[in-house]
Amino acid sequence: MFIGSLENTERAEALHPFFKKVFDYIKSHDLSRIPAGRIDIDGDNVWISVSDVQGREPEEAKIETHDKYIDIQIPVSGSETFGWQARELLTERCGGGYDEKNDITFYNDITFFYFTLKPGDFGIFFAEDGHAPCIGHGLIKKVVAKVKL
């Protein structure tokens, strides 16, 4: 996991060849005006999902992991809290296991570590990072960049 500010993305950009493409796009567009949906940056290698989600309580947020894509999550309006747990500690799969089409596995495990991102912050979640997103109050507009491993 990597947490940072959109004002200083250079170290994050060095972690993966496609990260710079994501941050260049995000910094050159007014994310608050982009409607919900998918934006292709480099086909299935890099794309962005813009969504409006209803914030939820921590106990309602399921931990998720991904096998094929890295998530870069950015709240656009409203703060968003995330739970985090190391993937190797997750044991309670739910929802039928790995969903290959959507590249996601959900877990019922309890999260003990929480942190909050505000607009202008970002979090990067790698395959080893179990994360429980969308914790907060009210409507949260967010961007999730999907970067192929």
Side-chain angles (χ1 to χ4, degrees), residues 33-139:
R33 296 183 180 268
I34 296 174
R38 178 177 165 143
I39 301 164
D40 286 322
I41 294 177
D42 189 344
D44 285 337
N45 291 318
V46 184
W47 53 277
I48 291 175
S49 172
V50 179
S51 60
D52 296 303
V53 297
Q54 186 62 44
R56 54 186 143 201
E57 296 298 319
E59 59 273 6
E60 297 171 318
K62 296 283 186 200
I63 299 172
E64 60 187 58
T65 59
H66 309 289
D67 293 349
K68 297 177 184 174
Y69 287 89
I70 299 165
D71 277 2
I72 302 176
Q73 300 214 17
I74 304 163
V76 176
S77 66
S79 294
E80 181 179 6
T81 298
F82 294 80
W84 180 89
Q85 182 64 272
R87 184 179 196 151
E88 68 265 15
L89 300 177
L90 299 172
T91 60
E92 296 181 38
R93 286 184 178 199
C94 66
Y98 179 65
D99 176 348
E100 186 170 353
K101 180 182 178 213
N102 294 305
D103 184 41
I104 195 164
T105 304
F106 289 105
Y107 298 85
N108 284 323
D109 294 79
I110 297 171
T111 302
F112 294 104
F113 176 70
Y114 293 91
F115 62 94
T116 301
L117 300 179
K118 62 186 183 329
D121 296 335
F122 67 89
I124 302 176
F125 301 95
F126 297 91
E128 64 269 17
D129 296 313
H131 54 286
C134 304
I135 300 170
H137 300 286
L139 197 61

Side-chain angles (χ1 to χ4, degrees), residues 6 21-34 39 41 48 76 143:
L6 291 175
K21 284 185 176 187
V22 170
F23 288 117
D24 284 349
Y25 182 90
I26 287 167
K27 290 177 183 181
S28 65
H29 291 80
D30 181 354
L31 300 177
S32 67
R33 296 183 180 268
I34 296 174
I39 301 164
I41 294 177
I48 291 175
V76 176
V143 168

